[in-house]
Amino acid sequence: MKVFDLPTLETKIAELHKITEEPDFWTSEEAKKVTRDLARQQSQIDKAKTMQSELNELETMAELLNEAGDEELTSEFYERASALAKSIEDYKTLILLNGEYDAGDAIMSIHAGAGGLDSQDWAEMLYRMYTRWAEAHKYTIKLIDELPDQEAGIKSVTVSVSGDYAYGYLKGEQGVHRLVRISPFDSAKRRHTSFASVEVLPVLPDSVEVDIKPEDLKMDTFRSSGAGGQYVNMTDSAVRITHLPSGIVVSCQTERSQHMNRATAMQVLRSKLFERTLRERQEQLDNIQGEKRSIAWGSQIRSYTLQPFQLIKDHRSGCEIGNVQSVLDGDIDELIMSYLRFQKTGK
């Protein structure tokens, strides 16, 4: 019995190896992309083979249990079978992450909504949650820009998340996140509702063309107020770029030089303009088809209730989790996977 048919993946590996043997490949712009793709495909093969091996062992255990029942072995069988079933479901979702930019890095921005200190504190809680999730999955998370509040929390933060399928996994987090709790800033200990928005964009490869005219850009420099050492804070190295036609503003203040901050800010701007173009095309298509959809910013995707009971619910997939603290500590895999399955199957 086979879990998955491996020849397709192995053929892909062979094709990638053939590309790397071409003259001057290792000096080309495609070298990094192909090498990374090669590693991803090999990782998929390794996971499939591991699951196939585990399935073979479970079949052997089942034969032994049919011949002579053993309570301890039976318990181990069901525990391992359950773990394998979950691994297979996760793997099936992974191989369905076939969007054009799913395998690449992501740019994530978190913005506090209306609600003052409570919403700013909630934005910081979300930032901590995603940071812990990224660290647990060995992703590299890099701060691009942060606007903290002097009293509590953050007004906004932008980070890049680098690693295999970072965008594919995180794209479903885009939208409005709602928190219900007893406010730590309310002396009367009343229950408050706070909102924060999450924006997730793909990091575009250089081959993707985004039309940005130099005359459409306004660049301002200012002194960094974030981390980065004395050198950063004493020079006007931070950069803010305004794209005049669209009104989009991006900034970066975490790099050591103005040149590096400008390059990072331009990367974010390219992704934002690209996403804006795709959204406008979709809206035009929806108008032609007569379909009315809410834009991501206005759609509440998930609720985190801490009072009067504890429950996290994703309003798209219907996934519910009672262990709120675990999720806020970064254990959001179940929420991510349930949304991806819902996206692909509608269930």
Side-chain angles (χ1 to χ4, degrees):
M1 181 177 179
K2 291 186 177 181
V3 178
F4 293 105
D5 186 16
L6 295 179
T8 301
L9 286 174
E10 291 173 338
T11 299
K12 180 66 173 176
I13 291 285
E15 291 175 354
L16 291 169
H17 275 301
K18 188 175 181 180
I19 293 174
T20 64
E21 293 170 359
E22 294 177 0
D24 301 323
F25 166 76
W26 295 109
T27 60
S28 71
E29 291 294 325
E30 293 295 312
K32 275 188 178 180
K33 180 180 181 298
V34 173
T35 303
R36 192 168 174 177
D37 196 13
L38 182 64
R40 287 195 198 102
Q41 300 295 338
Q42 187 61 56
S43 176
Q44 287 192 29
I45 287 180
D46 292 342
K47 288 178 181 177
K49 287 182 175 179
T50 298
M51 289 185 289
Q52 183 70 64
S53 176
E54 177 68 0
L55 181 59
N56 293 339
E57 290 189 25
L58 286 173
E59 288 177 336
T60 302
M61 289 176 67
E63 292 174 1
L64 292 174
L65 288 171
N66 284 332
E67 296 175 1
D70 181 283
E71 187 174 337
E72 185 176 342
L73 189 61
T74 300
S75 177
E76 180 185 351
F77 173 83
Y78 282 108
E79 185 178 331
R80 289 173 62 177
S82 177
L84 178 60
K86 184 179 183 304
S87 295
I88 291 175
E89 284 302 311
D90 290 349
Y91 183 85
K92 287 165 68 176
T93 303
L94 173 63
I95 61 177
L96 288 174
L97 285 177
N98 56 2
E100 189 172 1
Y101 305 106
D102 282 357
D105 302 338
I107 296 171
M108 172 178 278
S109 297
I110 303 171
H111 303 274
L117 294 180
D118 278 292
S119 290
Q120 290 172 188
D121 188 52
W122 174 222
E124 187 169 46
M125 290 168 65
L126 285 174
Y127 178 35
R128 175 181 177 274
M129 181 182 79
Y130 290 121
T131 298
R132 292 208 167 189
W133 175 82
E135 291 172 347
H137 289 76
K138 309 301 181 185
Y139 287 144
T140 300
I141 188 162
K142 180 180 178 182
L143 180 65
I144 295 176
D145 187 48
E146 182 179 15
L147 184 59
D149 185 77
Q150 293 182 350
E151 290 188 63
I154 54 175
K155 296 179 180 179
S156 66
V157 64
T158 300
V159 299
S160 64
V161 184
S162 303
D164 290 345
Y165 297 98
Y167 177 68
Y169 283 126
L170 289 173
K171 64 183 180 181
E173 296 302 298
Q174 175 153 313
V176 173
H177 296 244
R178 173 176 176 260
L179 173 71
V180 180
R181 64 170 176 175
I182 300 296
S183 172
F185 307 102
D186 188 339
S187 58
K189 301 300 179 184
R190 290 170 294 189
R191 193 164 67 242
H192 285 239
T193 300
S194 308
F195 296 91
S197 71
V198 175
E199 179 185 39
V200 183
L201 305 168
V203 174
L204 300 176
D206 294 336
S207 57
V208 177
E209 294 185 7
V210 179
D211 185 23
I212 303 178
K213 300 176 181 177
E215 60 268 24
D216 289 340
L217 301 179
K218 176 188 175 185
M219 189 178 83
D220 300 305
T221 59
F222 58 98
R223 187 164 297 179
S224 171
S225 59
Q230 185 178 7
Y231 175 77
V232 173
N233 293 331
M234 291 185 66
T235 61
D236 290 338
S237 60
V239 171
R240 181 185 298 109
I241 299 176
T242 303
H243 184 252
L244 299 174
S246 66
I248 294 175
V249 180
V250 296
S251 59
C252 181
Q253 58 175 311
T254 58
E255 302 290 358
R256 299 288 289 182
S257 71
Q258 186 181 116
H259 174 75
M260 294 172 66
N261 278 323
R262 186 181 189 281
T264 301
M266 285 298 296
Q267 182 185 61
V268 177
L269 178 61
R270 288 180 71 244
S271 294
K272 282 182 176 286
L273 288 173
F274 181 75
E275 189 273 341
R276 182 174 181 267
T277 300
L278 293 181
R279 191 176 66 215
E280 288 175 348
R281 288 176 184 171
Q282 185 61 54
E283 288 174 355
Q284 290 174 358
L285 185 62
D286 290 345
N287 288 333
I288 293 172
Q289 296 174 341
E291 182 180 358
K292 300 297 182 182
R293 293 184 180 180
S294 60
I295 299 175
W297 166 258
S299 61
Q300 179 178 305
I301 66 165
R302 193 176 299 151
S303 293
Y304 306 70
T305 303
L306 278 62
Q307 292 289 341
F309 54 88
Q310 294 202 342
L311 180 70
I312 293 177
K313 180 175 181 178
D314 191 291
H315 300 293
R316 303 157 302 176
S317 66
C319 178
E320 296 184 353
I321 299 177
N323 190 347
V324 173
Q325 192 55 53
S326 176
V327 171
L328 294 178
D329 284 338
D331 186 10
I332 60 174
D333 284 341
E334 186 176 346
L335 291 164
I336 288 175
M337 300 306 287
S338 67
Y339 169 73
L340 291 175
R341 285 192 289 269
F342 168 77
Q343 186 187 38
K344 297 297 181 182
T345 65
K347 299 179 182 178

